[in-house]
Amino acid sequence: MTGTTPATRVTDLPIRWLREHMHEALTIYGLAMGYDSSVVAGRYGYAVQHTERPGFRAVGAFAATEEGERLVGFGYGYLTAPGQWWHDQVRAALDRRTAKRWLAGAFEVCELHVHPDSQSRGVGRQLLHALLADLPYDTALLSTPDADTKAFRLYRAEGFVDLARGYHFPGDARPFAILGVRLPLRPADRRGGG
Ligand SMILES: CC(C)(COP(=O)(O)OP(=O)(O)OC[C@H]1O[C@@H](n2cnc3c(N)ncnc32)[C@H](O)[C@@H]1OP(=O)(O)O)[C@@H](O)C(=O)NCCC(=O)NCCS
């Protein structure tokens, strides 16, 4: 599929391409999240392992430059399953009924990041829609810092609801929100239409 932001193309990323360009993608992750290089370096092995998970899907946004196309944003996720660290943390954060309704068989949006120079131009929304389009799952889940951020506003605007708020993952002092949405996402042109 192709996005509509002028000179920016949003497309599915083949797994092999992402593995070969993981450093490039994680540089965007570090800049977008404000993480230093040691955090980014520490993420590399996990990110490569994620590409091997069942249901893995990745999308990227490419901007046209004089030298050719440049990756300016990416997102990926996979089928969440017991035994995965995030899944087990989220399972513990939710009551049994909520976990059964939302977490079982869900797609986890693991990463979604846009280079700071390309943010607030619709790229993140296009990436989210591309990532979640035509998935064979009933729900998509994610966690995001529990604060008034661009990410939180984007997810809320796209129909994500609270599954847990103020949750603390081990090793991170920040409170997180665990959000979920029923798939398919509402088309972008019908947002706000109920
Ligand atoms: C979150 C992120 C992926 C969104 O991508 P983006 O390209 O900046 O967002 P978009 O331009 O598509 O905007 C989508 C929505 O985000 C929110 N948003 C975007 N820019 C914003 C800004 N400057 N201030 C407040 N909200 C903003 C709005 O709700 C916007 O919808 P609207 O345009 O209808 O108002 C991107 O900002 C990012 O990488 N942020 C840092 C990393 C991060 O937090 N990743 C998510 C981790 S869970």
Side-chain angles (χ1 to χ4, degrees):
M1 73 169 285
T2 303
T4 53
T5 299
T8 301
R9 181 173 70 92
V10 171
T11 186
D12 273 288
L13 293 178
I15 293 178
R16 192 171 153 192
W17 188 96
L18 181 60
R19 284 188 191 139
E20 287 168 359
H21 294 80
M22 194 59 90
H23 286 295
E24 211 175 316
L26 291 182
T27 298
I28 293 171
Y29 156 83
L31 291 169
M33 296 298 285
Y35 291 155
D36 67 36
S37 54
S38 65
V39 174
V40 175
R43 191 71 187 163
Y44 181 83
Y46 293 108
V48 171
Q49 282 174 22
H50 289 162
T51 66
E52 294 164 6
R53 290 190 167 172
F56 183 85
R57 184 186 203 178
V59 292
F62 295 87
T65 71
E66 286 179 7
E67 294 80 38
E69 285 195 323
R70 188 170 55 91
L71 187 72
V72 295
F74 75 101
Y76 74 68
Y78 40 76
L79 180 61
T80 184
Q84 295 170 359
W85 184 86
W86 189 87
H87 176 102
D88 294 347
Q89 292 296 324
V90 170
R91 175 66 193 84
L94 305 180
D95 64 63
R96 208 167 135 185
R97 188 162 170 266
T98 307
K100 193 173 170 195
R101 288 185 64 205
W102 286 91
L103 183 61
F107 184 80
E108 178 195 337
V109 178
C110 184
E111 305 292 355
L112 181 73
H113 306 288
V114 174
H115 190 290
D117 294 346
S118 296
Q119 289 180 11
S120 301
R121 296 180 199 165
V123 175
R125 172 169 284 129
Q126 287 182 58
L127 284 169
L128 184 66
H129 276 263
L131 184 61
L132 299 182
D134 305 319
L135 288 178
Y137 313 115
D138 292 335
T139 57
L141 265 61
L142 56 82
S143 54
T144 190
D146 198 340
D148 185 18
T149 62
K150 289 182 197 180
F152 204 109
R153 289 187 191 190
L154 169 63
Y155 302 137
R156 193 57 103 217
E158 295 307 316
F160 280 78
V161 298
D162 294 342
L163 302 184
R165 298 290 300 267
Y167 182 72
H168 285 273
F169 287 95
D172 198 324
R174 299 168 297 176
F176 278 77
I178 298 166
L179 307 178
V181 72
R182 297 240 161 243
L183 297 176
L185 277 192
R186 286 170 293 174
D189 59 358
R190 288 181 52 196
R191 280 180 303 115

